[in-house]
Amino acid sequence: MSKRTKAVVTAVIVIIALIAAACIYGYVSGQKTPGQTDQPGQTVEPDMPNQPDIPDDQKTPDDTEEDPVQPENPNPSGGESVVVYVPDEQGETLTPVGTDAVDDSDQALVDALIAAGSLPEGAAVQSSSTADGVLTLDMNAVYGDAVRSSGTTGESLLIYSLVNTFVQARGVNSVLITVDGAPLESGHEIYDYPLEATS
């Protein structure tokens, strides 16, 4: 091999080595470490492949949201659970309380109110009917006498413990209370109109 050929081969090898070195340098300098960006002072959050995106409607509620108010002791013995409205300790307002009833009948609700101390012993439902969101509840004379013999506050508690309980239990808009088929009379007022539950 002549000196000229050796020189050409050597030159080609040097050129190939330079090109390879340039390629390796360019590749290595082009790689970025995790968190590195083109702009100094900024970082990129690394990808988290193990945490799938959760749609907004499936995310857990914020801790600041308040839970709905539940009645006290909603189902104490696991029987037919009902909510009845009973006077508070001061006897001024009604509070929803969970209790058990024998069954889902109107009289069972009244009996639960009697057991809770909201209605007098012997109060009874004689009949009931529902039309256009109004429940007509015909009570016996024991209930009517108790309403008439109460003061204004006691009268209101006797009436609305019944109204609130039946609106809740029957899903009606209001309750019309009669006694022996006639409108309920308290001595202060004649309740010949449907009553809505109090808040």
Side-chain angles (χ1 to χ4, degrees), residues 64-194:
T64 58
E65 292 182 15
E66 295 182 9
D67 292 333
V69 175
Q70 296 295 325
E72 296 175 16
N73 199 15
N75 193 2
S77 66
E80 183 75 32
S81 181
V82 295
V83 175
V84 295
Y85 285 77
V86 300
D88 62 6
E89 292 178 4
Q90 289 76 32
E92 295 174 351
T93 60
L94 293 169
T95 303
V97 175
T99 188
D100 289 338
V102 175
D103 53 41
D104 192 35
S105 67
D106 295 336
Q107 188 58 47
L109 285 173
V110 168
D111 289 341
L113 284 166
I114 292 169
S118 291
L119 296 183
E121 287 286 342
V125 178
Q126 300 189 123
S127 66
S128 67
S129 61
T130 304
D132 299 324
V134 178
L135 171 67
T136 300
L137 204 57
D138 189 45
M139 300 296 291
N140 66 356
V142 171
Y143 176 79
D145 291 343
V147 171
R148 278 189 292 278
S149 64
S150 300
T152 307
T153 302
E155 171 186 319
S156 179
L157 293 175
L158 281 168
I159 290 171
Y160 284 99
S161 63
L162 196 65
V163 170
N164 288 12
T165 298
F166 275 86
V167 165
Q168 166 88 20
R170 300 296 182 245
V172 294
N173 299 323
S174 56
V175 177
L176 174 63
I177 302 173
T178 59
V179 175
D180 291 333
L184 172 63
E185 294 186 41
S186 67
H188 309 101
E189 188 171 348
I190 299 174
Y191 295 94
D192 55 356
Y193 51 91

